[in-house]
Amino acid sequence: MQHEHRMMVFCCDASRAFAQKVVSRLKKLDIDDEDKVRLGGLEIKHFSDGEFQPYYHDSVRGATVFIIQSTFAPTENLMELLLCIDAAKRASASKVIVVTPYFGWARQDRKDKPRTSIGAKLVANLIRAAGADRIMTCDLHADQIQGFFDIPVDHLMASNIFLQKIQDLHLPNLSIASPDIGGAKRANFYATTLKKLTGEEPPIIICHKTRIKQNEVSTLRVIGDVEGRDVVMVDDIIDTAGTLCKAASELKKMGAASVRACVTHALLSMDTKGVYAKDKIAASEIDEVYVTDTIPHPELSGDPKIRVVSMTDLFALMMRNVYMYEPISPVFHQDY
């Protein structure tokens, strides 16, 4: 007879590569039943009208079920996740823990104009209503989204990875930049943490942008000393890369020695003129962009400017600690 407390890991279609890396890492960690940790069988049956239905090949009765799925491009992937949560609960899973490396709709975190939705709150309600007991995610667009959930939220920061990457670059005149005013708190966190790690606090540069409309930047002004500096911009999302590329251009015009960026979630969408973000970055004055694998982009392998770093080790460690009822605070840096 199987004991009740057992870990079972599944993934939806969009995050399969990420889930495979997580499971490989889990097998190397100290878990009660580490020999049984594997990526479980989950089939998504598609119907001719576009409807789909999940089916678990393995019994999940009494198990702690982890479902890995990012909700980018977000409607199909979100609906697939909700159905998988529902299926696990109806199959008598003891706990259903949602692992969402990228939480879509997070930019809709408030009413920024009359008569509009707060999409992040609605999605939080949907995940809870589907039956999730806990959610794990990374670099939410706004801190307050954690409060939208009525279940525990484990919020990882990509700064765990990027801070080490910045130190490894050994930039002689490092400055940390935010591509917009809203990211000033994040930039300050990086600067103060680097002071703790290295003894020197890099100066902060702030870019102030205005928009004509969504995904289209009108003007961008740079605040701070740029001349001769090796600038690293930090942000949570690259969408069409308009802001990033415009900021890099302005920084180079003001005499920056080099411009790099560390950005967690790479949406890499097409802008209103039909230009993809990847091509825009390739043609821009930015020297390097570091992104994570929370959103899969196999086409970036070998890209001359965009480097992918993995969050899978951190997610695996967090999943292991939650499953083993051990503290998860050692996995995190202080929130920014």
Side-chain angles (χ1 to χ4, degrees), residues 66-313:
F66 292 82
I67 305 173
I68 301 174
Q69 172 80 320
S70 284
T71 53
F72 58 93
T75 311
E76 290 284 310
N77 293 330
L78 173 61
M79 192 64 193
E80 192 175 296
L81 173 63
L82 295 174
L83 289 171
C84 289
I85 296 168
D86 181 72
K89 291 301 283 190
R90 292 180 187 279
S92 301
S94 174
K95 294 179 184 176
V96 176
I97 299 175
V98 173
V99 182
T100 308
Y102 171 68
F103 180 79
W105 310 92
R107 285 174 286 184
Q108 296 183 38
D109 61 293
R110 67 196 186 284
K111 286 187 69 173
D112 55 355
K113 54 182 175 289
R115 299 175 297 281
T116 189
S117 64
I118 303 179
K121 172 59 176 169
L122 174 60
V123 172
N125 288 346
L126 288 170
I127 289 172
R128 179 67 186 95
D133 297 289
R134 189 182 198 98
I135 184 167
M136 300 176 173
T137 190
C138 175
D139 271 3
L140 289 168
H141 187 64
D143 290 340
Q144 66 263 27
I145 294 173
Q146 296 178 63
F148 291 176
F149 287 90
D150 294 323
I151 55 177
V153 178
D154 299 316
H155 188 207
L156 270 178
M157 304 293 183
S159 56
N160 288 271
I161 304 294
F162 288 146
L163 283 164
Q164 185 59 55
K165 183 62 66 176
I166 292 169
Q167 291 179 80
D168 292 343
L169 290 170
H170 301 293
L171 299 171
N173 297 297
L174 174 64
S175 286
I176 299 295
S178 171
D180 54 40
I181 293 291
K185 186 179 178 183
R186 178 182 290 104
N188 182 65
F189 169 79
Y190 272 78
T192 54
T193 305
L194 283 166
K195 182 180 180 180
K196 294 174 185 175
L197 295 171
T198 67
E200 296 184 13
E201 183 172 355
I204 295 174
I205 298 166
I206 304 295
C207 301
H208 174 59
K209 68 182 177 185
T210 58
R211 291 189 184 274
I212 305 171
K213 56 185 177 180
Q214 198 70 18
N215 295 128
E216 193 167 332
V217 177
S218 172
T219 61
L220 192 144
R221 297 181 179 87
V222 176
I223 305 165
D225 183 16
V226 178
E227 182 72 33
R229 306 301 300 183
D230 296 296
V231 181
V232 176
M233 292 185 281
V234 292
D235 207 353
D236 64 321
I237 296 174
I238 301 178
D239 193 347
T240 62
T243 299
L244 197 71
C245 294
K246 194 172 184 68
S249 177
E250 290 298 316
L251 289 164
K252 285 287 182 77
K253 282 180 186 177
M254 294 177 68
S258 65
V259 179
R260 293 172 175 82
C262 293
V263 187
T264 308
H265 307 299
L267 292 172
L268 302 182
S269 308
M270 182 175 67
D271 67 14
T272 54
K273 298 176 182 178
V275 181
Y276 282 100
K278 180 176 178 289
D279 299 327
K280 200 179 294 184
I281 291 168
S284 74
E285 296 188 61
I286 198 162
D287 295 284
E288 287 181 309
V289 179
Y290 292 92
V291 300
T292 75
D293 56 354
T294 57
I295 298 172
H297 284 289
E299 77 280 4
L300 294 180
S301 178
D303 189 275
K305 285 191 177 182
I306 306 176
R307 325 277 186 231
V308 180
V309 296
S310 185
M311 292 292 296
T312 52
D313 283 3

